[in-house]
Amino acid sequence: MVEITAEQAASVIRNNEAKLGQIQRQMQEVSRTLEVLLVTRSTLEQMPDSETVGLVPVGGVFLPVKADVSTVKLDVGSGVAIEKPRDEAVTTLKAREDVMRGTLTKLQETG
């Protein structure tokens, strides 16, 4: 049997608490990212195929805009966006959701 001092035990507890806190913060971030993906995908799926009219906020005023949403610009990271047909963008967002769900599951198992 291995004996440890109270100081060593307290150090182990502090380290574990710090790790748990970090895992909880990561889970919150992954959950927020997943929520954004879900809302974005849902919005894209619900948009009509015809030209869409909307408002864009610019410094306290809203500019009316008309947009063709048959294609969208999809963020692929590092400030780069590519144009994709809307249905392909939805498929890509679903794949990203799956990755986030997998990450969240792993974090939950770790914590």
Side-chain angles (χ1 to χ4, degrees):
M1 182 164 123
V2 176
E3 292 186 30
I4 62 172
T5 66
E7 185 177 306
Q8 290 170 324
S11 177
V12 169
I13 290 170
R14 282 192 303 273
N15 286 338
N16 286 339
E17 287 174 343
K19 288 177 185 177
L20 182 58
Q22 182 180 16
I23 290 169
Q24 289 172 335
R25 286 187 296 278
Q26 289 172 333
M27 287 174 60
Q28 289 171 345
E29 184 62 32
V30 170
S31 293
R32 281 191 293 269
T33 300
L34 179 57
E35 185 177 336
V36 169
L37 288 169
L38 290 167
V39 169
T40 302
R41 180 178 55 84
S42 176
T43 301
L44 280 178
E45 289 174 332
Q46 293 176 22
M47 293 181 109
D49 290 331
S50 60
E51 189 174 79
T52 300
V53 177
L55 297 171
V56 175
V58 178
V61 297
F62 292 88
L63 302 176
V65 296
K66 291 182 182 179
D68 174 8
V69 293
S70 61
T71 61
V72 297
K73 305 291 191 251
L74 183 67
D75 182 358
V76 293
S78 298
V80 176
I82 58 172
E83 188 170 300
K84 281 194 170 211
R86 185 173 59 178
D87 59 337
E88 286 183 34
V90 167
T91 300
T92 300
L93 292 171
K94 283 181 183 178
R96 290 179 183 177
E97 290 169 22
D98 291 341
V99 169
M100 289 296 110
R101 282 190 187 96
T103 301
L104 193 55
T105 298
K106 288 179 184 175
L107 287 169
Q108 288 169 337
E109 291 169 356
T110 302

